[in-house]
Amino acid sequence: MELTVYLAGQIHDNWREEVKTKARKKGLPLTFVGPQENHDLSDKIGEDILGEQPNALYRDDTASSINNLRTQVLLHKSDVVIALFGEKYKQWNTAMDASMAVSLQKPLILIRPEGLIHPLKELSNRANVTVETVDQALQALEYIYR
């Protein structure tokens, strides 16, 4: 049985590649999807589709609409969501994706460092599993296949 896993979280480093590489090494039958990782494309997709916008507010709004469509489709098709919260980057998109997973009743694995226990307590309470590392998240998925 192959599962589709939505990897929610910031797009500024290679944490998704770490998850994919470690899952492959474990032999887990997982397909990964997630947000658009090309930051420039994500920011300008509204204008690419709808044309030049009059200011930054409208550029962000049109891009957001299209990115939200993409996220909703991919989250709907996913079997499980891993949402990684780190301390280095702002985590608004991660929170939005994790909240959407909860509202869609998608199984949610939340990865958050010890320093974010308090600010993420409510979301953590809604997740199926909360862990501190990518390895722990993959162990939780691996358990499904035992």
Side-chain angles (χ1 to χ4, degrees):
M1 160 184 68
E2 187 168 311
L3 296 175
T4 299
V5 179
Y6 187 94
L7 298 175
Q10 53 82 16
I11 63 171
H12 302 289
D13 64 29
N14 68 345
W15 74 272
R16 284 178 182 79
E17 285 310 311
E18 177 188 358
V19 170
K20 293 172 188 176
T21 298
K22 288 180 175 186
R24 264 193 310 275
K25 285 181 181 176
K26 289 179 171 287
L28 297 175
L30 304 173
T31 298
F32 295 99
V33 296
Q36 176 56 254
E37 294 180 58
N38 179 329
H39 198 265
D40 290 335
L41 176 58
S42 175
D43 282 350
K44 67 183 190 111
I45 192 63
E47 289 190 319
D48 286 352
I49 293 173
L50 299 170
E52 186 176 345
Q53 298 299 305
N55 59 42
L57 173 69
Y58 290 101
R59 275 192 299 279
D60 283 350
D61 189 58
T62 57
S64 179
S65 295
I66 296 163
N67 281 309
N68 282 333
L69 169 69
R70 184 181 192 280
T71 298
Q72 187 174 359
V73 168
L74 293 177
L75 267 169
H76 259 301
K77 294 190 172 291
S78 296
D79 299 299
V80 64
V81 175
I82 294 177
L84 179 123
F85 285 87
E87 297 190 50
K88 187 174 180 183
Y89 299 101
K90 293 184 172 44
Q91 304 294 315
W92 299 303
N93 289 344
T94 310
M96 181 69 179
D97 291 353
S99 297
M100 189 182 301
V102 168
S103 71
L104 292 172
Q105 298 183 336
K106 295 291 180 175
L108 174 63
I109 299 172
L110 195 69
I111 304 172
R112 55 101 185 96
E114 186 176 341
L116 295 179
I117 290 173
H118 181 73
L120 292 173
K121 65 186 177 295
E122 284 84 5
L123 187 55
S124 179
N125 186 265
R126 294 288 184 138
N128 295 82
V129 176
T130 299
V131 298
E132 292 184 6
T133 68
V134 164
D135 289 323
Q136 291 171 330
L138 287 172
Q139 286 176 305
L141 288 177
E142 187 176 29
Y143 181 68
I144 294 169
Y145 295 100
R146 287 190 183 165

